[in-house]
Amino acid sequence: MSDVRLEREGPVAVVTMARPERHNAVDGPMAAELAEAMREVDASDAAVGVLRGDGPSFCAGANLKAVGGERGNRMAPDGDGPMGISRLRMRKPVIAAVHGYAVAGGMELALWCDLRVVERGATFGIFCRRWGVPLVDGGTVRLPRLIGQSRALDLILTGRPVGGPEAYEIGLANRLVDDGTATEQAIALARDIARMPQECLRNDRQSVLGQWGLDEEAAMRAEFGLGVESLRADGLSGARRFAGGAGRGGSFDDL
């Protein structure tokens, strides 16, 4: 891979968009590399992934200069999305470490992640609104699910910039951190998540993601089925540890 790096930080796999001279704007080949890297993360023994960008920005979206050319983004209703990973359902959680600009398709990449660690000086925005370029990587689906339809339409219809503090206020950012620390803080959060019993964590995550579109009865049934699997894998042994004195007072120290 030439435009994407995959590195390990213990139990954390760090995927870096590495086209800083273009603010990590994603063309077709880079999108394919992103998908390849994330599939490697899911197939590896890493517990959590972190998605970040090199240089001054997280990601400025699709590379509009490549549209219509041989390096243009893939446009098809099935398979990988134009930004590569936008239709990929990971078994493992991924955290976005956002600094600089995360706009248009770059914002959609951040929305694809489970959590977003965002620097105060970061900027989100549907900047592609200016050029008649649509959201085709999940933006119209994931943004209203995260922050509500009214707020999502405000951002989608106006394309206006949203700074880090506002992103945190409206629920777009999960953590608001000082400038220059997003990657460090995202990796620290990923390490905390990696300490948890993983089968149960992944099954609960799968239930959350899978319940959209299900009626309540079907969603509850699916949750129960996954929960039974989790009890077998993690819960029974965890209950015995608790009964033996671990975790008293809500402590996470003896995981």
Side-chain angles (χ1 to χ4, degrees), residues 16-39:
T16 300
M17 295 175 281
R19 297 186 75 191
E21 72 283 358
R22 293 188 179 274
H23 290 262
N24 299 312
V26 176
D27 60 16
M30 183 175 174
E33 289 186 6
L34 266 178
E36 178 186 351
M38 282 299 177
R39 288 191 172 99

Side-chain angles (χ1 to χ4, degrees), residues 105-180:
M107 182 170 173
E108 290 181 290
L109 290 182
L111 295 174
W112 172 83
C113 296
D114 295 274
L115 302 174
R116 282 149 295 283
V117 174
V118 178
E119 294 183 2
R120 294 181 182 277
T123 300
F124 291 97
I126 312 299
F127 284 11
C128 53
R129 180 59 55 236
R130 299 170 296 170
W131 317 121
V133 176
L135 298 173
V136 289
D137 285 278
T140 65
V141 177
R142 295 186 176 111
L143 186 60
R145 290 181 178 183
L146 281 176
I147 67 174
Q149 180 171 299
S150 180
R151 282 176 168 152
L153 283 173
D154 176 15
L155 305 191
I156 290 169
L157 297 179
T158 67
R160 68 178 180 84
V162 175
E166 183 182 359
Y168 183 71
E169 290 172 6
I170 65 177
L172 179 54
N174 297 95
R175 304 284 191 277
L176 184 64
V177 301
D178 292 336
D179 290 351

